[in-house]
């Protein structure tokens, strides 16, 4: 895929007094003035949170649920900003939302997962933003598609918005495991690899879908060097009008960020560096051995392809694959390796074996035919 450069202004340049990490907090949705001001007052009392979030228009999967308080909520956010000094952020899903958010001096716009999936909507927002100077944070699309996420970031950046960040909020999946949305960590990691200057903020609330699971996800996000967290916080989560199970109370959110281990990216300690170098050398050696073994394994696959060709047998042997997979998972378990790892590893190896066998058997057939003619 063609790499388009993003022109990014660092968070430190637009979030006042920004320390290592940016913490955004606030309810899933603005429900009433009292609710919003209560949450803001308590969060402001703790300190540490720089941006106050609240959904004003809520994109609901099914109709008939609370769809947001609308324009009136923007006046409450203005009050919060004046009273407590937070920057404020709301979700915008189209040009009309952008206009209203700007009219009421919202500081940061966020594009939600259900909007990022649609390039028409993202372009409409980008067009509305041309010539405007406001930071925008872009949530990942619902589906695990890095290109769509990148496309949305590029469209907004092309509109002249350089105060830009990505928000990782997990992906829809038929099997998200214990979470509401599958984090698929390799996607934000790949995004970071392609655009090291782009800040990525994690939204552990939507990934988790359950308050008990938020802390682990938040820690993992910081361990992956993400730039901050966007956390859903409600004064009365049990009675929230949306996303009830995943909203923390203000005190819980405060404790959460206080308890996170903030690790450094590098160290100046010579001793540490020496030990690391030794261990990394060992890892390098093991990786080379691993690849040599894979190479030897593939040589056997080629022999198998030859015999299968001579006997006119299909490359895929489902029964063998199922047995092999189960056997490796069981063996892996004895070595304390998790099922997922062994399963995925052998899925990749087996896929390559099949590809190689098909290719080889095709070539053998062509050779045979050309030697006949
Ligand atoms: C939200 O943050 O409340 C929200 C609707 O998020 P998402 O777009 O990630 O579902
Ligand atoms: Mn929500």
């Amino acid at each position: 895929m063609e790499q388009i450069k993003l022109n990014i202004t660092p968070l430190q340049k637009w979030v006042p007094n920004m320390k290592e990490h940016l913490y955004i907090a606030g309810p899933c949705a603005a429900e009433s003035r009292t609710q919003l001001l209560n949450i803001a007052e308590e969060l402001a009392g703790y300190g540490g949170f720089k941006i106050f979030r609240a959904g004003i228009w809520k994109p609901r999967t099914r109709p008939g649920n609370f769809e947001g308080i609308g324009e009136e909520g923007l006046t409450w956010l203005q009050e919060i900003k004046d009273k407590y000094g937070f920057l404020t952020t709301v979700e915008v899903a189209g040009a009309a939302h952008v206009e209203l958010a700007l009219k009421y001096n919202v500081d940061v716009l966020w594009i939600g997962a259900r909007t990022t999936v649609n390039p028409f909507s993202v372009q409409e927002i980008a067009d509305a933003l041309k010539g405007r100077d406001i930071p925008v944070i872009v949530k990942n699309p619902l589906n695990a598609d890095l290109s769509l996420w990148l496309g949305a970031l590029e469209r907004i950046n092309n509109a002249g918005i350089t105060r830009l960040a990505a928000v990782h909020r997990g992906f829809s999946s038929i099997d998200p495991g214990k979470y509401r949305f599958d984090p698929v960590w390799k996607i934000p990691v790949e995004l970071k690899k392609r655009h090291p200057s782009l800040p990525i903020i994690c939204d552990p609330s939507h990934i988790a879908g359950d308050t008990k699971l938020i802390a682990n996800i938040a820690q993992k996000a910081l361990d992956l060097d993400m730039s901050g967290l966007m956390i859903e916080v409600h004064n009365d989560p049990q009675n929230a009008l949306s996303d009830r199970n995943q909203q923390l109370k203000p005190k819980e959110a405060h404790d959460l960020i206080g308890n996170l281990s903030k690790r450094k990216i590098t160290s100046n300690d010579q001793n540490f560096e020496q030990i690391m170098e030794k261990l990394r050398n060992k890892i390098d050696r093991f990786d080379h051995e691993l690849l040599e073994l894979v190479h030897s394994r593939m040589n056997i696959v080629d022999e198998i392809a030859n015999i299968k060709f001579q006997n006119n047998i299909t490359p895929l042997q489902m029964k063998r694959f199922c047995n092999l997979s189960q056997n490796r998972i069981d063996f892996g378990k004895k070595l304390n390796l998790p099922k997922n790892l062994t399963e995925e590893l052998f899925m990749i190896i087996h896929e390559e074996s099949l590809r190689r066998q098909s290719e080889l058997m095709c070539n053998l057939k062509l050779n045979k035919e050309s030697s006949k003619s």
Side-chain angles (χ1 to χ4, degrees), residues 28 53 58 91 110 112-114 139 169 206 232:
C28 177
R53 62 150 282 157
K58 297 304 298 175
E91 173 173 356
W110 102 65
R114 289 160 192 80
K139 288 198 167 198
R169 50 80 74 211
H206 283 87
E232 283 194 337

Side-chain angles (χ1 to χ4, degrees), residues 29-43:
E31 297 168 3
S32 72
R33 181 177 170 275
T34 323
Q35 170 240 19
L36 220 56
L37 270 97
N38 271 345
I39 302 169
E41 181 177 356
E42 200 175 336
L43 286 175

Side-chain angles (χ1 to χ4, degrees), residues 67-121:
E67 297 199 330
I69 201 80
E71 190 169 346
E72 188 187 4
L74 294 170
T75 63
W76 308 332
L77 280 176
Q78 232 171 358
E79 215 178 318
I80 281 169
K81 166 178 161 142
D82 294 342
K83 205 158 169 187
Y84 302 109
F86 287 116
L87 298 178
T88 57
T89 184
V90 301
E91 173 173 356
V92 292
H97 292 167
V98 172
E99 294 309 328
L100 279 169
L102 290 169
K103 177 174 161 199
Y104 288 93
N105 299 319
V106 168
D107 297 291
V108 179
L109 304 180
W110 102 65
I111 298 181
R114 289 160 192 80
T115 305
T116 308
V117 284
N118 185 346
F120 284 134
S121 309

